[in-house]
Structure formats: C-alpha cells, structure tokens
Amino acid sequence: MEGADAVEAVVDRCLSRLFALEEDIGGYRPEFSEREDLLGTHLLLRALHLAVADAQRTLIEELRALPPPSESRRRDLTLRLIQRIASTVERMVGQRLDFIAQPHGREFDPIADAYTRLARTLADETDETEVIFRPSEPSRYALSSSLLDALAESLRGRGSRVANELKSMPTLVVLRYPAADEANVMQHLLVGHELAHLALRRRDGDGRTLSARLLEPSYDSWKRGEAAENMSEEDRGHVFDRAYNWFLELACDHLGMLMVGPAFFVALGEHSALRPSFHAPSSDEYKTHPHTAWRLGLLGQALEELLPTLGEDEGDGDRWSSVRSVIEASRASIPAWEDRVPDNERKIVEGGMDALRSQAHSILGTARYTNLARDLGLVWDKLDSGMVPAERVCDRTSSTEGGSGHWQRGTRWSDPVDWRSIINVGYFRWLSTNRTWPEARLEDWRAADNERRKYVALLRGSVELSEFQREAHELAEQLLSLDLRSRESNALG
Amino acid sequence: MHERETRGDRYENYALFASLALRLFDTLRADGARPGSRDRDGGALEPLRDLLNGSRNRAIRVSNASEELVPARAQGPEDELADYDLLLRLNHSLHSPTEVRGWVDTAVDVLVRLEQSGWSHLGGTEAQFVEDELEPFLEELAQLDPDYGTEELDEPEPLRS
C-alpha cells in the first residue's frame, strides 16, 4: 500500500503542476482578447493549451498502464518518465508564457506590422511565419528560434498526434527589442538584422541552412591551406565555430541594411557606442559576435556600393550630400579594427561574405529597400515644412486648376510613402541638422532629448499614417475586385 | 529564445527521449515488443539517432576535410557542436573525434538493425551493445539537467540571436 501511495503522490503532484499551467494559459486569454493584432501570441496560446492537455492525457494513460510492483524496473522507469514528461512540458510551456507576458506596446505598434510583413517575405517559402515582439533588456535585440519546434519534437518523440497539429501551425518566433527604446523607430531599424536571421535559416532539400551553404566552401578552402595544416583538430573546430558565428552576424548586418536602408549603419553605430567595449576593441572578445568596429567597418564599405544603386548620383544633390556627411561622420567614429581580427577567422568569413554579396538580391527578393532616391526629397521637404511625410500626392487638382481633372475608377489620389523611406530620411535629416552639442547642463540635455523624442514621434506617426493608407488601398482593391456595382445592377436588372 | 533557452529545450527533450528508450529496451529485453510499445516509445529513437548523427557530423567536420557531410536532419553546425559536446560529456569512454565516429557508427547500426527486425527481440550482439554501451549513456542522458553548462553563456553579446 505504501508503494501505491507513493506512486499516487508522484502522479498527483505532476498533474497538479500541469493543471496550474492550464490555468496560467487560460489567464492570458482574456488579457489579450482585444489585441487582435497579436496573432502570433494567440496562436502560441492555442499551441501551449494543446500541449498541456496532451500531457495530462498521457499521464493518466501511463498511470493506468503502470506495471505491477513485481516488475519493479519497468515500474520505476515509467514513474521517472511521468515525472520527466511533466517537467518537460512545465519548462517549455512556462518559458513560452514568460515570452508573451509583456506584449509590444502602443508606441512600437506602428512598425510591428511593417516588420511582420518583411518577416513573412524572408522566411522559408513553404512556411508561414509570425513574429511576436517583446520589450526586453536594455541594449538587446534578439530573435528566438522557432517557439514550437522543440515542443513539437517532444510530442513526436513520445508518439503524440498533437505533434502534427503543432507542426501545421505557422512558425512562431519572438523578437526582443530594448524596452527603454520602445518608441524609438529610428533605433528599431536594427530589427532588420534580426529578421535577416530568418533568411539565413532557410533550409535546402538536404536540410542545410543557407548560412552553412554560404560559408562552407570558404571554410573547406581554408582547411586545405597551410594555416589549417598545422592546427589540431580541436583548434580547427574552434576556428570554424567562431568564423561561423561571426559570419552569421556580419551577414545579417549586410542583409539588414539592404532590407531597411542605409540608416541601419547609423543605427548600429549609435547602438554600439553605448557599449564601453566599443571604444577599447579586442580581437576576440566575443565567441558569438564579431567586434562591432569590424561590423561597422564592413557596413561602411558596403555602403560605398549601396548608395550608387539607391540613386546617389541622380538629382537632389544637396540632400544626398547631407546623407553622405552623416555617413562620413559616423564612419569617422569607428575605432580601428583591421589589425585586430584574427587572420584565420577573417579569411573564412570574407569568403562567406563574398558569396553572400553575390546572392544578396536573390536572398532578399522583394524585401530589399530601393525607394530612397524616389522619396528622399519628398520626405525631407515635408519634414522641413513640419508636414507629416506619409503620402505622395499624385493628383488632387481639377482640370480647371491644371490637373488631369478627370477622375477614373482605380486612379489614386495619393500613394503611401514607403515606411523605410520615412525613417531613413528622417534619421539622416535629424543627424545632419541636430549634431551640435547642447551646453553641458542637465536641462539642456533634457531639452535636446525632448526635441529628439518629439521628432521621432513625428516619424512614428508618419509611419502609422502611411501604413493606414496602404491598408486602405489594399481594402479598396479587394472591394473593387468584388465588383459590387455590377452585381448590384445585375440584381436590379 | 537565446542559446541558453534553446539548449535547455534540447537537453530536456534528450532526457525525455532517453527515458522512453530505456523503457523500450527494458520491454524488448523482457519479452519482445508488446502491443503498442513500439508506437508509444519507439518514436524517441529517431531523435536520439539525430543526436548521434549530429555528433558524428561534427567529428567528421573537425577531422576530415574531404569527406562529404551527410546531415541527419535539418541541422546546422551549431546544433552539431552541441550534440558532440553532449556526447563527450556523458560518455566518458570517448575522447577524440575518431572515437566518437566509431562509437556512433556502431550505435546507429544497432538501432537501425533493431528497427529493421521489426522490434521483435533484443538479442545477440545488439543486446550486448545496448546493455554495455547504450543504456549507461541513456541513463546519464535521462538525468540531464537542462540548465547544465549555462554559466558559459554569461557574456555580453549584442544583437544576438
């Protein structure tokens, strides 16, 4: 009887932990019920609910089939398994609930949908992707791995059918951004780096990631060289690990800048300057990340190729000069890095970066940002005039006023401005006109910060308006495709 | 999720799969596959094979440049490194990439032969290898602390993913 009581106690405890998890999940639902924009969060809650319910069922089934005390070894193994199932679900579900405890706020909202669209474009074509944005630690931007993969694998490993339901759901990832910068849409250009990780995670038919495919030829070439010959197996492994990690980050910087625009370089510079180590670089400070000076140095080089393709040599010379001067000022603040990068890693990474650059356009597809030349003057001028640079007016004048006048069905009065143009031009304009240091008094710094906040708020509002207009156009096109007028006349006829 | 969280998930799953595999081997040894035991516990062997193959891939990567890597599943080099490290930590008889490759080859071969035999019985050389080599490893794996080794990750890392 004593043995049976002990078993009951173990199972009772495990089930009670699972019931508590179920209640936790239920507690989130009313909280987010009015946030229809949190699609990823709602999907995650559903998946977690399924996983917990499945674990409860499994525990009951295991208990029913528990071997008798005479089969002590198998009975013991089953009890251990019951505990392990409960702890696995508790850990995985609890951790994921923690990820969504604090959803992104109102001030991040204007760009959340825009970045989500980019994420859907970048991720694996066979997969839908939903990003859950999460305010997080200071100075921290990070993209999670898929939230459901480990959970689905856990379920599949123990033969649960719920695994298939989880696998059929969209890929859910959490993107963290610094909570203190919630409203700073200029700084959030760094989200582009994180989204680029989605592109590099794409897998080919053999299951190899794009990042591995890009880097491995360079690594193999290095490994056949003299430098690798004199190294131990273990040291070669360490070189590869570091080169691979560094390549991932440098590649995401490059793709991120092509995706969100050249102001990404400035955003990374401002972000990095907050770190004390930025001003005292060491060659191998990070196992997983290259030194920021190297990152910025490579981005600065890439800008030389990028700016002409964005139209630097075409028109609007004054504006482009301002953009150029901001970039040069940022570049001048980068500490020397060329002699501080270890040769072996550098050689491997450079080979990978060459491969990346040659394929960058096809990797990004329509996610690449190309509208700077078109929007530079428009956004800059509107900001100069204190206007919201959210739309490009196509035709608002009648024929008597010199316009084309005759409105036709489907003709647009105006187009939304690309949200990336608003932030890029706004960022460059701010830095080119507000680089004078305030007097060294606290109130002056506060006033300068308030000015910047107000300016960023204007950009944020502009992005919100342009996004509204884009959505309105999309809805209008959907309504037009329904052809309500002809249906109505048919019905009347 | 950060590396720490992802690794915690992987370790938690490996511990779960090891627990399932131990029960399956115990059942097979006693009286062959009981009805349902293969469906119930057999699913754990595939991800365990992935762990072994990931370790082997890593061993190949550091020891032999000319050999083609055959990914066992959708796995990147960082996953392979984690698997390789785990195998070395838990199987104290393995010390070099060559030893890892040899042991993994045998282990995977045993698992494949078991599967091909329809899980009818655990006997002969397979039984010996399972008892002497696989089960001690799985016992260690089943007790794996998901937070094991996280202190290594406490370094500042900007813009990580």
Side-chain angles (χ1 to χ4, degrees):
Chain A
M1 275 308 289
E2 195 177 315
D5 287 346
V7 168
E8 274 178 22
V10 167
V11 176
D12 183 54
R13 183 84 196 276
C14 290
L15 277 171
S16 140
R17 281 150 61 189
L18 294 179
F19 291 144
L21 267 184
E22 190 181 25
E23 279 182 26
D24 283 349
I25 296 169
Y28 278 95
R29 287 195 163 147
E31 194 178 331
F32 296 140
S33 62
E34 291 182 5
R35 292 286 303 268
E36 289 175 10
D37 57 314
L38 302 177
L39 179 58
T41 301
H42 290 295
L43 287 169
L44 181 62
L45 285 171
R46 174 166 167 67
L48 298 183
H49 173 74
L50 286 172
V52 172
D54 178 77
Q56 290 166 347
R57 276 196 303 272
T58 305
L59 258 56
I60 299 289
E61 283 166 14
E62 289 288 350
L63 185 62
R64 280 187 191 147
L66 190 70
S70 58
E71 295 180 32
S72 61
R73 163 83 175 153
R74 207 170 309 160
R75 186 179 169 89
D76 178 49
L77 286 171
T78 301
L79 275 178
R80 276 165 53 185
L81 185 62
I82 285 173
Q83 289 170 309
R84 181 56 78 174
I85 290 171
S87 74
T88 302
V89 171
E90 188 177 24
R91 179 190 173 94
M92 291 191 185
V93 171
Q95 203 169 54
R96 283 150 182 80
L97 284 177
D98 185 48
F99 292 156
I100 58 172
Q102 177 70 43
H104 74 260
R106 174 70 187 88
E107 291 174 311
F108 190 88
D109 203 43
I111 53 171
D113 194 41
Y115 278 117
T116 300
R117 287 200 310 279
L118 275 183
R120 288 175 187 150
T121 312
L122 287 168
D124 201 316
E125 286 170 6
T126 59
D127 208 0
E128 291 176 64
T129 297
E130 287 298 327
V131 182
I132 298 168
F133 294 98
R134 179 193 180 197
S136 189
E137 306 94 324
S139 307
R140 207 94 192 249
Y141 286 88
L143 185 75
S144 75
S145 52
S146 165
L147 294 177
L148 298 183
D149 279 1
L151 203 52
E153 187 172 3
S154 189
L155 292 164
R156 192 171 45 249
R158 56 181 171 83
S160 166
R161 289 177 188 166
V162 175
N164 291 335
E165 288 194 50
L166 261 53
K167 284 305 282 182
S168 68
M169 293 175 82
T171 297
L172 304 177
V173 291
V174 167
L175 197 152
R176 301 183 204 212
Y177 60 88
D181 276 333
E182 172 91 26
N184 193 343
V185 290
M186 300 200 300
Q187 192 64 59
H188 292 324
L189 285 176
L190 295 178
V191 169
H193 168 104
E194 301 306 331
L195 295 187
H197 278 288
L198 289 174
L200 292 178
R201 288 177 189 174
R202 286 182 209 150
R203 296 184 186 272
D204 62 13
D206 293 331
R208 293 153 71 84
T209 57
L210 176 57
S211 49
R213 275 187 287 135
L214 288 167
L215 190 66
E216 279 182 358
S218 175
Y219 174 65
D220 289 341
S221 166
W222 170 81
K223 205 154 59 166
R224 287 191 292 271
E226 200 178 330
E229 224 172 60
N230 301 322
M231 253 183 218
S232 70
E233 293 171 357
E234 195 178 0
D235 285 345
R236 278 206 302 260
H238 289 315
V239 167
F240 175 76
D241 294 335
R242 200 154 59 168
Y244 181 75
N245 287 335
W246 288 0
F247 168 70
L248 268 182
E249 303 307 321
L250 293 167
C252 286
D253 287 343
H254 188 82
L255 293 176
M257 186 167 74
L258 295 186
M259 197 188 329
V260 300
F264 175 90
F265 169 69
V266 184
L268 184 60
E270 287 204 308
H271 178 77
S272 308
L274 294 171
R275 306 183 70 80
S277 59
F278 177 63
H279 304 286
S282 65
S283 58
D284 54 359
E285 184 180 355
Y286 300 116
K287 271 195 298 189
T288 58
H289 287 68
H291 195 276
T292 319
W294 187 18
R295 300 172 67 173
L296 288 166
L298 285 191
L299 279 181
Q301 289 171 0
L303 271 172
E304 291 307 310
E305 289 181 19
L306 176 63
L307 290 179
T309 68
L310 290 175
E312 186 183 19
D313 303 326
E314 303 159 18
D316 248 327
D318 290 345
R319 303 297 188 226
W320 277 110
S321 300
S322 302
V323 170
R324 173 60 73 172
S325 69
V326 169
I327 288 171
E328 292 306 329
S330 301
R331 211 194 320 241
S333 66
I334 304 172
W337 54 271
E338 287 86 347
D339 298 331
R340 296 174 183 271
V341 181
D343 285 342
N344 290 314
E345 286 86 344
R346 181 174 178 169
K347 191 170 181 191
I348 298 168
V349 168
E350 282 179 349
M353 289 301 289
D354 286 342
L356 174 85
R357 279 189 280 269
S358 68
Q359 297 179 41
H361 288 191
S362 66
I363 291 170
L364 291 178
T366 56
R368 191 163 61 95
Y369 172 63
T370 56
N371 291 329
L372 186 57
R374 190 192 69 182
D375 298 337
L376 178 62
L378 172 83
V379 174
W380 200 298
D381 289 344
K382 285 199 172 196
L383 287 170
D384 277 349
S385 312
M387 294 168 68
V388 173
E391 63 172 355
R392 171 187 300 281
V393 177
C394 306
D395 194 350
R396 261 185 194 159
T397 52
S398 69
S399 55
T400 55
E401 293 169 314
S404 58
H406 187 68
W407 183 84
Q408 291 181 319
R409 195 174 185 206
T411 306
R412 287 185 176 188
W413 293 107
S414 64
D415 282 327
V417 171
D418 187 327
W419 62 275
R420 293 167 291 189
S421 295
I422 297 169
I423 300 175
N424 271 266
V425 179
Y427 206 160
F428 283 123
R429 180 183 170 277
W430 173 260
L431 290 177
S432 75
T433 55
N434 292 275
R435 281 194 289 125
T436 50
W437 282 41
E439 296 292 325
R441 294 188 310 168
L442 196 56
E443 53 267 41
D444 293 326
W445 283 99
R446 195 184 300 282
D449 182 57
N450 280 339
E451 279 302 304
R452 181 163 174 146
R453 282 170 195 264
K454 276 196 283 184
Y455 184 79
V456 171
L458 177 67
L459 298 185
R460 203 170 56 243
S462 304
V463 169
E464 188 162 34
L465 269 180
S466 77
E467 286 288 295
F468 275 146
Q469 193 175 18
R470 184 193 56 74
E471 280 177 35
H473 280 303
E474 277 181 9
L475 286 171
E477 278 166 21
Q478 286 171 20
L479 283 171
L480 281 173
S481 68
L482 289 175
D483 206 6
L484 293 174
R485 278 179 58 182
S486 65
R487 284 187 187 192
E488 192 180 338
S489 56
N490 284 344
L492 288 171
Chain B
M1 289 187 303
H2 293 281
E3 188 178 341
R4 172 182 306 190
E5 293 148 352
T6 309
R7 191 164 68 176
D9 283 352
R10 287 167 69 83
Y11 285 5
E12 191 75 60
N13 270 344
Y14 283 150
L16 172 66
F17 301 148
S19 304
L20 287 159
L22 282 167
R23 187 170 69 172
L24 178 64
F25 288 141
D26 186 70
T27 309
L28 290 174
R29 189 183 294 111
D31 45 17
R34 288 181 178 181
S37 64
R38 179 186 162 188
D39 290 340
R40 191 181 55 179
D41 298 341
L45 294 187
E46 189 183 331
L48 286 175
R49 270 210 309 273
D50 289 341
L51 183 159
L52 298 175
N53 283 326
S55 310
R56 177 169 54 189
N57 279 356
R58 172 68 184 183
I60 291 171
R61 188 185 299 284
V62 294
S63 63
N64 192 339
S66 62
E67 196 159 341
E68 277 294 307
L69 296 181
V70 184
R73 59 168 170 167
Q75 212 173 23
E78 66 275 30
D79 299 331
E80 292 169 3
L81 174 64
D83 291 349
Y84 179 77
D85 281 350
L86 191 61
L87 190 60
L88 284 181
R89 282 174 181 172
L90 299 187
N91 191 330
H92 306 298
S93 64
L94 303 175
H95 302 99
S96 72
T98 313
E99 287 174 357
V100 168
R101 288 178 65 181
W103 191 84
V104 167
D105 283 344
T106 308
V108 170
D109 194 39
V110 164
L111 293 177
V112 168
R113 279 207 304 257
L114 267 174
E115 193 166 13
Q116 284 172 345
S117 73
W119 308 90
S120 56
H121 190 60
L122 184 61
T125 52
E126 286 94 353
Q128 203 60 47
F129 184 82
V130 166
E131 192 171 339
D132 295 345
E133 298 280 341
L134 261 182
E135 284 184 322
F137 167 67
L138 292 173
E139 282 287 353
E140 294 271 348
L141 193 59
Q143 293 167 47
L144 184 64
D145 176 2
D147 293 321
Y148 182 76
T150 51
E151 71 280 1
E152 294 169 18
L153 302 170
D154 285 331
E155 58 181 332
E157 291 163 2
L159 284 175
R160 55 169 305 137
S161 68

